[in-house]
Amino acid sequence: MSLFSFRKPQVLTSLQEQGGELLSEIRNAAAYAKSHAGSLLALFRLDLAEYMAQQRRRVVMFAAAGIAFLVGYLLLCVLAVLALQLVLGSWLWAVGAVFAFNVLVGMLMLVKALRAKPAPLAAATRAELKNDLECLKILLSKENKHS
């Protein structure tokens, strides 16, 4: 060994190794977080696709039912006008009575439709996020106890 040779002190080497390990753990945690976020996004996309498929089926069924009910209801209204015309003796009063009844039923249906609650969106994704939050709370509480 020469007089001018320089060796790293062991303390610096140990600190560099610990820093490297910490950096490696941070990188691993970031990679896991990125992977988990990607999984959550994929789960949300699946939930959204399933929700949209259910909503499309509902819309198609409502449209088909609406057409069938509309035809039946129009025929029922014509029959009601004819029956009321015989009782009341006037076409104008018969049409007015059927119209008033339709307005009343329409208003009741509108109020009922406005009070209806939609189905929840992405229930599985929300449940997974709640689970992640609980796990994170547990992990942080364990880390605080070890510190």
Side-chain angles (χ1 to χ4, degrees):
M1 243 186 167
S2 80
L3 185 60
F4 297 105
S5 69
F6 178 74
R7 286 185 351 165
K8 284 185 181 178
Q10 227 173 3
V11 173
L12 282 178
T13 305
S14 176
L15 285 176
Q16 285 176 344
E17 288 173 359
Q18 289 176 356
E21 290 173 7
L22 180 62
L23 189 58
S24 174
E25 288 180 20
I26 290 173
R27 284 184 184 147
N28 287 339
Y32 288 136
K34 182 180 175 184
S35 172
H36 190 68
S39 298
L40 283 175
L41 183 61
L43 178 61
F44 177 73
R45 285 181 181 159
L46 287 173
D47 278 345
L48 187 60
E50 182 180 337
Y51 179 80
M52 293 305 291
Q54 289 174 351
Q55 295 307 316
R56 275 192 292 272
R57 282 192 301 269
R58 287 183 66 195
V59 167
V60 168
M61 288 189 298
F62 275 125
I67 291 169
F69 281 129
L70 182 63
V71 171
Y73 191 72
L74 287 175
L75 291 174
L76 181 65
C77 286
V78 168
L79 181 64
V81 167
L82 290 174
L84 283 174
Q85 188 270 334
L86 292 176
V87 172
L88 298 176
S90 168
W91 286 95
L92 188 58
W93 283 104
V95 170
V98 171
F99 178 75
F101 176 76
N102 283 317
V103 168
L104 179 65
V105 169
M107 289 176 61
L108 291 173
M109 287 183 176
L110 181 63
V111 168
K112 179 93 172 155
L114 291 174
R115 290 185 180 172
K117 291 188 177 187
L121 175 64
T125 303
R126 286 187 298 144
E128 185 64 29
L129 285 173
K130 284 181 184 177
N131 186 28
D132 289 348
L133 182 61
E134 291 300 319
C135 290
L136 187 60
K137 285 179 183 177
I138 291 169
L139 180 68
L140 290 176
S141 68
K142 286 182 180 178
E143 287 295 322
N144 286 339
K145 287 179 183 176
H146 291 309
S147 297

